[in-house]
Amino acid sequence: MSKCLPRYPVEALASGQQGLAVIDLYLEPDGHARSLSILQAPSESIRREAKRCVSQFRAATYGTKHSLRHSKLYFYFVLGQHGGDVFVLNDLAQWSRLADIRRSVGSAWMR
C-alpha cells in the first residue's frame, strides 16, 4: 500500500485557494486505481495535484481478482500563517491532527 499526500500547488498558494478536493475512484483487487474522477476541487491547480497524487496511489490488496472496490478520497487544502497544509481526511490520524490544530490555534490558523 502506498499513501498519497498531495503537495500544495504554488499557484494555489499565490492566489489564496483553499478547500476540499473529492476524488471518486474504483480500485482493482491489486490496489491500483482503475478509474478516477475529480468530483470537486477549489481550483484547477489543486484539481491537477489531487489527480497526480491519486494516480500514484495504491490501496491494500483485497478480494478476488475480478472484484472492483468503489472509494472516495478527501483532501483538505488549508492556508495557514506559514504556507499551506494538505490533510487526507480518510486518514483518522490526520483528521485528528487537523481538529487538534484548529482547537489549539483557532481562527488565527486560517487566513
Side-chain angles (χ1 to χ4, degrees), residues 1-62:
M1 182 166 108
S2 66
K3 290 192 175 189
C4 170
L5 184 59
R7 295 181 298 257
Y8 215 113
V10 174
E11 303 89 21
L13 283 169
S15 62
Q17 296 291 320
Q18 63 181 354
L20 184 65
V22 180
I23 298 87
D24 186 70
L25 67 153
Y26 285 88
L27 297 167
E28 296 280 357
D30 69 359
H32 287 97
R34 177 178 190 180
S35 65
L36 65 99
S37 60
I38 310 298
L39 300 180
Q40 82 177 53
S43 71
E44 186 58 34
S45 63
I46 287 175
R47 177 183 297 274
R48 283 191 311 268
E49 178 57 18
K51 186 174 182 177
R52 182 205 62 78
C53 183
V54 173
S55 67
Q56 298 174 4
F57 172 74
R58 184 167 180 197
T61 59
Y62 69 94

